[in-house]
Amino acid sequence: MAPSTPRVVVKVDLKKKPWEQEQPLHNRWHPEIPSVAQVKAGEFFRVEMIDCMGGTVKDNSSSADIKHADLSMSHCLSGPIRVVDEEGVAAKPGDLLALEICNLGPLPGDEWGFTASFDRENGGGFLTDHFPCASKAIWYFEGIYAYSPQIPGVRFPGLTHPGIVGTAPSMELLRIWNERERQIEENGVKPFSLCEVVHQRPLANLPKAKGCLLGHIDKEAPEWERIAKEAARTLPGRENGGNCDIKNLSTGSKIYLPVFVEGANLSTGDMHFSQGDGEISFCGAIEMNGFLELKCDIIRNGMKEYLTPMGPTPLHVNPIFEIGPVEPRFSEWLVFEGISVDESGRQHYLDATVAYKRAVLNAIDYLYKFGYSKEQAYLLLSCCPCEGRISGIVDSPNAVATLAIPISIFDQDIRPKTRKVPSGPRIVRKPDVLKSTYDGKLPITKNPSCST
């Protein structure tokens, strides 16, 4: 007998705001957020979700929606979904949730997405000291391919994936998160030399009531304020999975998530049509509304059997990911290298973040020679299927990071040429990305060897 169509367990209405949905969404992690649906192990089910900005970013000719974005509202997740076995017994703390991605994609009739970088004073990004202005590019989908009017001359197949998949933390794990992240924020930048090179702020996104959505817990409920002050933001990846942004986590992939509360309370969201390794511009994938079709199983006591704690408690574990067989095929790549030396020429010790920043900056300046603005290159490298690698991490003092760009996504040959190129004005591709002004006063980092 042919398998049944997936049961829709979470449905969204794109005409409604996140808190107006029939099954209200949530944008925090907390064990007391009640489940909105239940699934059985082995069941084939479908989850719909809205984009990472909750529908506030529009398909228009302005980047004002990015410049003035309310980041306290980001990552409205579908769920939590309670998981039980075939006998109806809920997943228990210590189990593993084995989740298989059977199908995924944009919602029918909504085949578009966006890539953006936030204003330096409001979120920023990996290269916010170089690109402090909010910017945006719109992408349209033609089957598996994406193209953007703001970044002409580029077309590539997407590797669609969820940015966020995770289970609810226990109260003990939530306290661990909040304590360690609060220490970073309270201690400031002085203990971290990397903060002199990577300028994205804040250092951590601590719990706050502003913008907090707690699903079925109404704002008028007596427990709302307490939970809102405890609930963890969804921005970083953590022990429960969360915002891992693994670009290859597409059709056929499996995720083995630790279970910390009864029922697991699975949540997902932040759908991406495509993403480059690192998602460097922060709002950097092709963000979209979308769906996942899933199956899951419960591996009883799987945390103890398969996950080794790396920390002071048994809760200090991480998920395991099994990448599926579906991905674009590229045979030719142009690879850019970076080392642990920052833009001022200062040597850092085996710092892979500094090395990756250098590799990205090298790629951006290279693409500038082929007619792309640096803002176009920044957003493109954030969302196209480029591959980031740590190539060396032991040869002191330099870590070596690389960024590989598939050559075939361009409508021109971007490889270096042996023939002499005629001198003349640089060919500029128009139009450019949608860009706002930067009204802050923080200094902009520039390459001292480059006049542009």
Side-chain angles (χ1 to χ4, degrees), residues 137-433:
I138 301 296
W139 296 88
Y140 299 115
F141 310 149
E142 296 176 330
I144 64 170
Y145 290 93
Y147 71 94
S148 172
Q150 287 80 42
I151 309 179
V154 172
R155 185 173 183 262
F156 54 81
L159 190 55
T160 304
H161 61 278
I164 297 178
V165 181
T167 52
S170 64
M171 277 305 302
E172 182 183 356
L173 183 57
L174 182 62
R175 281 192 290 268
I176 290 171
W177 292 352
N178 288 339
E179 176 59 26
R180 72 189 183 199
E181 291 173 22
R182 186 173 289 110
Q183 287 178 8
I184 289 180
E185 189 64 19
E186 290 176 352
N187 291 338
V189 301
K190 288 184 179 179
F192 307 105
S193 62
L194 186 60
C195 292
E196 301 171 18
V197 183
V198 178
H199 297 267
Q200 185 174 334
R201 301 291 184 271
L203 299 179
N205 291 274
L206 302 179
K208 62 166 62 176
K210 182 180 184 295
C212 185
L213 299 178
L214 298 176
H216 276 308
I217 302 177
D218 189 83
K219 201 168 186 178
E220 305 303 318
E223 69 270 27
W224 188 90
E225 186 173 357
R226 172 184 62 82
I227 294 175
K229 290 179 178 179
E230 296 173 342
R233 301 288 300 276
T234 57
L235 287 170
R238 299 187 182 92
E239 285 85 348
N240 69 327
N243 195 24
C244 297
D245 287 325
I246 299 173
K247 71 176 178 60
N248 300 77
L249 203 65
S250 194
T251 307
S253 296
K254 291 184 179 180
I255 311 163
Y256 301 92
L257 292 167
V259 176
F260 300 104
V261 300
E262 184 174 305
N265 280 3
L266 171 72
S267 297
T268 184
D270 189 27
M271 281 293 288
H272 299 162
F273 186 82
S274 176
Q275 179 197 298
D277 276 335
E279 199 188 6
I280 53 174
S281 74
F282 192 16
C283 193
I286 300 182
E287 312 285 350
M288 69 173 192
N289 305 302
F291 72 90
L292 282 176
E293 292 176 353
L294 305 164
K295 290 179 69 175
C296 65
D297 284 302
I298 299 169
I299 302 175
R300 296 296 185 186
N301 301 311
M303 282 178 63
K304 183 176 182 180
E305 186 169 356
Y306 294 109
L307 304 183
T308 302
M310 293 292 176
T313 78
L315 303 178
H316 287 81
V317 295
N318 295 99
I320 298 172
F321 303 88
E322 181 180 345
I323 300 303
V326 178
E327 63 180 12
R329 291 183 180 179
F330 299 108
S331 59
E332 296 180 305
W333 304 76
L334 206 57
V335 181
F336 297 87
E337 181 191 62
I339 58 175
S340 305
V341 178
D342 65 31
E343 299 93 313
S344 71
R346 178 185 174 192
Q347 178 74 59
H348 296 256
Y349 179 69
L350 294 179
D351 197 319
T353 302
V354 174
Y356 196 61
K357 186 180 182 185
R358 280 289 305 273
V360 174
L361 288 169
N362 287 340
I364 289 172
D365 273 43
Y366 184 86
L367 292 177
Y368 178 77
K369 304 176 190 295
F370 289 82
Y372 292 98
S373 74
K374 294 186 178 183
E375 288 82 3
Q376 284 175 322
Y378 183 32
L379 294 192
L380 176 62
L381 295 178
S382 194
C383 70
C384 78
C386 55
E387 301 277 348
R389 297 285 188 272
I390 297 177
S391 301
I393 201 69
V394 296
D395 299 314
S396 58
N398 280 329
V400 177
T402 57
L403 181 67
I405 307 172
I407 292 173
S408 63
I409 70 174
F410 299 93
D411 68 354
Q412 60 176 315
D413 187 352
I414 64 166
R415 288 171 290 198
K417 310 294 189 298
T418 55
R419 62 181 175 81
K420 187 174 181 180
V421 179
S423 61
R426 189 178 68 91
I427 300 172
V428 179
R429 300 247 172 180
K430 297 292 184 182
D432 203 348
V433 298

